[in-house]
Amino acid sequence: MPPWGAALALLLAAFALLGLLAALLRRPGRRAVGARTLPGAQGQDHEEEVDGAGPADQFSYGREPLPGGCRLICKPSALAQCLLRALRRSTALEPGPRSWLSGPHLQTLCHFVLPVGPGSDLAREYLQLADDGLVALDWVVGPCARGRRVTNAGGLPAVLLVIPNAWGRLTRNVLGLCLLALERGYYPVIFHRRGHHGCPLVSPRLQPFGDPSDLKEAITYIRFRHPAAPLFAVSEGSGSALLLSYLGECGSSSYMTGAACISPVLCCREWFEAGLPWPYERGFLLHQKIALSRYATALEDTVDTGKLFRSRSLREFEETLFCHTKSFPISWDTYWDHNDPLRDVDEAAVPVLCICSADDPVCGPPNHFLPTELFHSNPYFFLLLSRHGGHCGFLRQEPLPAWSHEVILEYFRALTEFFRTEERMKGLSRRRASFLGGRRRWGTLPKREVSPSSNLEEIFSWKRSYTR
């Protein structure tokens, strides 16, 4: 084994031991954020558990559990029945043999600590925004090991927008999902925020936790490049706040067909205030400090960089960076009024599947971090809760991809088939009404999408480079 491999293995083992110690020492009185009441929903008591450690009884749809001990939590609807049938047929949920990877801390640490590995061909585009800032779009163009096949029969290949976690780290699972989607006929593209993953910070402004303004411009550009292709989106961990904020603000104008969130942080303010187990808290905090250290001089005019790099918690770091600014300071309450991902959740008009684990060591137990009334009352939100998987892990034995990847792509396929069937039934109903009316009446045809005019090319200023 090379020296760096031995060092990495030793580091992984140390993190695993620290994670296990943190689990034993975790404060039992952590604030229960699942008790919050969302707009238009009534709070419910969700404390009872199955077998002492599994998901609660109300974390289920109907009486029959899904394969692998999973539960589907949602409001009954035709779409929910379609999704339930697809999940029951899924082989990805079938329980596999227990292995050394089954523990929640190892699942989480292998996902975040191990390098992503070589072999991914990325075509990077820098998108210049309206305020002259830059974000990066990495189009995954290869390799495709087993041959590319198109699953969206009868239509154009869909674009899959992937949003990494809020810390800016590109993980193994994100690239694994992109490669699997590429093989299934999608066009995967990874969105990187300002200053993240090699994207230059050309102005002293970073993207707040739940501010979707940069994402809106990026999606407008993606629609400019692929005006007729269906658009799906997947977010990972803390990056789900950005996706959910976008869906809430844009409503039916989001241009998306479906979305999925892997281990989402839904109650973000409470999550920051309660704090993480200290190995994870220090690890995420150290990663952010290292990433921003290269821009310390540029940020001196806007924030107190000395206090920023002395921060001892994620909350202190976030508050110093976005609340205690020198030009326009705001309170912690005001910050979350504008950045809570669920602030406009009632306006979301796109089906969203959230895949969570009951043993998530970063978010905590489900009755603490999942606002279950959201899934019971909103027909657009679905929760797939598994017993095991860690935080964004859901790993299986190599060379199989994470089972969450398979479930997400099957979910997108079920959505496509459901909407196609609904459109077909509406067309039959219109023809039948015309026949019974004794005269032919044409239903209102959907307007054909017009390709953006050439003057949009002046809005987007971008440059492409190929990287490994």
Side-chain angles (χ1 to χ4, degrees), residues 256-272:
M256 290 187 182
T257 303
C261 302
I262 304 175
S263 297
V265 180
L266 298 176
C267 303
C268 296
R269 176 175 179 173
E270 292 88 342
W271 184 71
F272 271 100

Side-chain angles (χ1 to χ4, degrees), residues 79 107 162 185 189 195 240 289 311 395 422 436 459:
L79 178 57
Q107 288 254 340
V162 181
V189 55
S240 300
K289 289 181 178 180
S311 302
L395 303 177
E422 288 291 307
L436 294 177
I459 298 177

Side-chain angles (χ1 to χ4, degrees), residues 128-199:
Q128 188 171 16
L129 305 174
D131 64 351
D132 295 332
L134 282 183
V135 295
L137 296 175
D138 280 345
W139 295 87
V140 183
V141 295
C144 195
R146 289 170 287 186
R148 181 180 173 91
R149 65 180 189 271
V150 177
T151 57
N152 187 25
L156 294 175
V159 176
L160 180 63
L161 175 65
V162 181
I163 303 175
N165 55 73
W167 322 133
R169 176 168 176 76
L170 187 62
T171 59
R172 292 169 60 89
N173 272 10
V174 165
L175 279 181
L177 172 61
C178 291
L179 293 177
L180 183 63
L182 182 69
E183 181 183 311
R184 300 291 174 86
Y186 291 83
Y187 290 145
V189 55
I190 306 172
F191 172 80
H192 296 291
R193 311 183 194 208
R194 306 172 185 230
H196 283 187
H197 200 67
C199 179

